């Protein structure tokens, strides 16, 4: 929910930190701040607003420093104020820290410190931590011992980065519940919440595990576990390059990422289809005997990832004999659903850091389920805690509104469903080959749609002034209606709801009026006639109708005022196509309304708090 960066090296630290914070701004952008070690002590600069505002402050001061920490905030404890912005310092001014996460027991710790005479400036949980560190260090004189002890005092999640004026050329990190990655360069070291922050400087990274403590310095990186024992970390070389974290000529990351979906689909499918059939069993570590032990599948996710799971539910039901259950992680983790070694539990999370999804996975794993992660981040917490992983290979998604990772998730889940059908003998090989032969054409059909952005842009002009929207769909199109409504509301701030089309007459139809556009997702499929009836019901009540329908449909245009056509494909694959115009519609309406599309208000790219 926040972006953290730390740097020790020979470059101008404020340049490196500002650049890194800008690359992490999708994680939170209420306020931003830096702490720099200089010959005159620690300088802290922080302000409400974007990183660019902080950059302007720096231009007036242009501090000389080669070591520092930075933070861009998504407020959890304490309002969006300058005082609550990070970094926070102790009373002596020698310690400064930045924090991502929530310290659940901060109030009792704060009261204890206040009894000891500590005075607080902010309302944050983070300020409690910096005082605890300073107090402990004054007693031990040993920063490692201090940070080991600290973990025993704190409950909750915390990625901490600590700088101390009298500990030159070194910065310390603690990781518990919130992500931190380390980067090693030539005579310089980095730490951050996510890889893009220091990608221009190094692609050699190390992921911190739960409880790890790290020291980054001019000489490199040292890591200890939560007990203070040294640990050796694997050094990965990421296969992303800097250009993937830049807009490459597009006005917004979201628009760039919508247009990358054909490429992403090819990347997700690449190497996972052979001789017209799926080839993911080795990657997943599955075989027929293992698959025969499962009698149910749980699909668990949040937000857009949950909608990709709802799409997958429809094909899993069709291609396998397994009992399928889909739930949002924040509900699943508290329910008394039967979960055991005969359960395949699939967790869908592009970031692999969503707190509710992580907690749900830990519960399912404790219940004995076989856990599979569908994620876009190789070293993410989710990827490292499950039994099997399927990476989307979609490249970094910077826009807060998920687009290309949604498409990648559907492709990955379809491969899993096809593989399960094969392993359990419920999907005939000729049917599998027929489905695969269409699946490999989907990237091309998506790209045909991407070329028709202008049609949707024109449509957006007709509806941008509306205050409410209704999205409807049936069957495998219903999750797409849900996703279309979420995209619209999260970037344009227009209220949008989605309903199973058959539900209209059970209440929502009372909403219909000339100022409430109804968007129907109605490809040519087995439920077409039923959804057409719903369109006619809406039309009879004077609602303005928009339809996403299969190209060449001559019936739908007679009943609606706006049509967005998609190429023909098998019913199962229509979601890959019908979602694209909905992404464009949300984007262009938000653009017309002057919204901060890549960083919508109140949102963050990765919800790492509950
Ligand atoms: C989607 O546009 C939103 N950004 C949000 O709903 C997101 O899908 C959700 O927070 C889940 O994120 P994850 O895939 O990283 O777990």
């Amino acid at each position: 929910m926040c972006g953290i960066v730390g740097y020790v090296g020979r470059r101008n630290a404020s340049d490196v930190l500002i650049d890194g914070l800008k690359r992490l701004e999708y994680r939170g952008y209420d306020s931003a701040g830096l702490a720099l070690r200089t010959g005159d002590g620690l300088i802290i600069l922080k302000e409400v607003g974007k990183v660019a505002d902080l950059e302007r402050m720096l231009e007036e001061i242009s501090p000389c420093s080669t070591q520092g920490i930075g933070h861009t905030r998504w407020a959890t404890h304490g309002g969006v104020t300058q005082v609550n912005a990070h970094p926070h310092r102790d009373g002596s001014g020698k310690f400064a820290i930045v924090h991502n996460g929530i310290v659940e027991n901060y109030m009792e710790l704060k009261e204890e410190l206040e009894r000891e005479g500590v005075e607080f400036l902010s309302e944050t949980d983070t300020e409690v931590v910096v005082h605890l560190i300073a107090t402990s260090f004054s007693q031990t004189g040993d920063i490692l011992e201090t940070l080991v002890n600290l973990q025993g005092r704190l409950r909750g999640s915390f990625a901490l980065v600590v700088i101390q004026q009298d500990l030159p050329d070194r910065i310390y990190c603690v990781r518990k519940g919130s992500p931190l990655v380390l980067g090693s360069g030539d005579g310089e070291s980095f730490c951050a919440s996510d890889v893009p922050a220091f990608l221009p400087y190094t692609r050699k990274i190390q992921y911190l595990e739960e409880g790890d403590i790290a020291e980054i310095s001019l000489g490199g990186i040292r890591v200890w576990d939560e007990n203070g024992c040294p640990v050796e970390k694997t050094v990965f070389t990421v296969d992303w390059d800097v250009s993937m974290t830049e807009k490459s000529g597009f006005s917004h990351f979201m628009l760039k990422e919508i247009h990358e979906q054909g490429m992403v689909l090819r990347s997700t499918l690449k190497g996972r289809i052979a001789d017209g059939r799926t080839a993911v069993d080795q990657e997943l570590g599955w075989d027929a005997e293992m698959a025969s032990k499962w009698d149910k599948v749980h699909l668990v996710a949040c937000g857009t990832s949950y909608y990709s799971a709802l799409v997958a539910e429809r094909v899993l039901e069709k291609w396998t004999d397994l009992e399928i259950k889909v739930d949002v992680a924040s509900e699943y983790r508290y329910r008394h659903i039967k979960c055991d070694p005969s359960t395949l539990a699939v967790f869908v999370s592009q970031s692999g850091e969503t707190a509710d999804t992580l907690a749900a996975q830990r519960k399912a794993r404790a219940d004995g389920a076989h856990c599979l992660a569908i994620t876009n981040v190789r070293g993410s917490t989710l990827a490292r805690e499950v039994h099997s992983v399927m990476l989307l290979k979609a490249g970094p998604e910077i826009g807060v509104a998920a687009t290309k990772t949604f498409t990648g998730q559907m492709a990955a889940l379809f491969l899993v469903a096809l593989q399960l059908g094969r392993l359990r003998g419920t999907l005939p090989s000729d049917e599998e080959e027929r489905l695969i032969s269409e699946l490999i054409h989907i990237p091309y059909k998506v790209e045909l749609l991407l070329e028709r952005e202008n049609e949707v842009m024109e449509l957006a002009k007709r509806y941008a002034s509306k205050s409410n929207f209704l999205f409807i769909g049936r069957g495998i199109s219903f999750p797409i209606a849900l996703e279309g409504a979420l995209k619209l509301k999260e970037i344009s701030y227009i209220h949008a709801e989605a309903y199973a089309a058959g539900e209209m007459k059970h209440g929502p139809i009372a909403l219909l009026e000339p100022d409430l556009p109804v968007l129907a997702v109605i490809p040519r499929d087995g439920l077409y006639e039923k959804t057409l009836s719903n369109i006619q019901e809406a039309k009879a009540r004077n609602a303005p109708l928009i339809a996403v329908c299969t190209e060449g449909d001559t019936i739908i245009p007679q009943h609606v005022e706006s049509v967005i056509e998609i190429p023909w494909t098998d019913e199962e694959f229509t979601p890959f196509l019908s979602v694209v115009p909905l992404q464009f519609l949300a984007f262009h309406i938000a653009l017309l309304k002057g919204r901060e599309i890549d960083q919508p208000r109140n949102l963050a790219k990765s919800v790492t708090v509950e």
Side-chain angles (χ1 to χ4, degrees), residues 100-126:
N100 178 24
I102 290 181
V103 177
E104 292 167 356
N105 61 328
Y106 85 100
M107 282 310 293
E108 58 192 79
L109 293 169
K110 186 168 185 173
E111 288 161 8
E112 178 190 309
L113 287 163
E114 285 174 329
R115 286 195 295 273
E116 293 168 9
V118 173
E119 290 182 11
F120 286 87
L121 303 175
S122 77
E123 308 159 290
T124 66
D125 52 347
T126 307

Side-chain angles (χ1 to χ4, degrees), residues 547-593:
V548 175
C549 61
T550 304
E551 58 193 21
D553 188 321
T554 55
I555 299 169
I556 295 301
Q558 299 171 35
H559 298 278
V560 303
E561 71 178 33
S562 303
V563 171
I564 307 170
E565 293 189 326
I566 59 174
W568 178 90
T569 184
D570 284 298
E571 176 169 336
E572 296 93 338
F573 302 124
T574 55
F576 291 96
L577 306 181
S578 54
V579 74
V580 174
L582 304 190
Q583 294 166 340
F584 277 138
L585 183 64
F587 176 84
H588 283 290
I589 287 178
L591 195 62
L592 289 166
K593 297 178 78 74

Side-chain angles (χ1 to χ4, degrees), residues 331-559:
E331 290 294 312
Y332 179 85
R333 61 184 293 199
Y334 300 113
R335 292 179 62 179
H336 302 288
I337 295 174
K338 188 168 184 288
C339 180
D340 53 26
S342 61
T343 306
L344 169 61
V346 183
F347 298 90
V348 188
S349 172
Q350 75 83 20
S351 65
E353 299 298 345
T354 298
D356 284 319
T357 307
L358 294 177
Q361 189 273 143
R362 289 163 186 158
K363 175 181 181 288
R365 181 162 185 148
D367 291 343
H370 179 90
C371 296
L372 163 65
I374 305 290
T375 185
N376 196 36
V377 182
R378 176 190 304 278
S380 63
T381 303
L382 182 67
R384 286 183 286 110
E385 293 189 2
V386 294
H387 300 103
S388 308
V389 181
M390 182 175 281
L391 292 172
L392 303 184
K393 303 179 184 175
E397 185 175 68
I398 309 299
V400 166
T403 49
K404 66 176 183 176
T405 55
F406 174 70
T407 305
Q409 285 166 350
M410 289 195 292
L413 288 164
F414 273 49
L415 289 169
V416 168
L418 288 163
Q419 189 71 59
L420 278 172
R422 163 114 69 76
L423 291 174
R424 292 180 63 86
T426 52
L427 182 65
S429 55
D430 59 342
E431 176 63 2
E432 180 188 0
E433 286 168 19
R434 183 190 71 78
L435 290 164
I436 291 276
S437 67
E438 176 59 16
L439 179 57
I440 58 180
H441 284 96
I442 292 298
Y444 169 70
K445 294 185 175 181
V446 165
E447 284 165 345
L448 289 177
L449 272 173
L450 296 174
E451 289 169 12
R452 299 169 64 176
E453 174 186 353
N454 286 341
E455 291 174 33
V456 184
M457 184 167 65
E458 289 308 310
L459 197 66
K461 293 172 185 171
R462 293 182 70 174
Y463 300 100
S465 61
K466 300 302 180 185
S467 306
N468 298 282
F469 261 82
L470 202 53
F471 288 72
I472 61 173
R474 279 181 188 261
I476 206 164
S477 292
F478 172 40
I480 299 305
L482 289 164
E483 171 60 7
L486 176 61
K487 284 287 104 37
L488 183 63
K489 61 181 149 222
E490 72 173 322
I491 65 173
S492 75
Y493 314 152
I494 292 174
H495 172 247
E497 282 186 76
Y499 274 94
E503 274 296 288
M504 283 292 288
K505 53 189 171 300
H506 299 286
I509 203 164
L511 288 171
L512 298 189
E513 56 186 32
D515 204 34
L516 176 72
V518 176
L519 190 148
V521 183
I522 178 170
R524 177 66 74 175
D525 63 14
L527 296 169
Y528 176 86
E529 299 300 338
K530 298 289 186 187
T531 309
L532 179 55
S533 303
N534 300 128
I535 286 176
Q536 288 160 336
E537 287 160 11
K539 184 181 178 184
R541 290 158 180 83
N542 303 316
L545 278 149
I546 308 163
V548 175
C549 61
T550 304
E551 58 193 21
D553 188 321
T554 55
I555 299 169
I556 295 301
Q558 299 171 35
H559 298 278

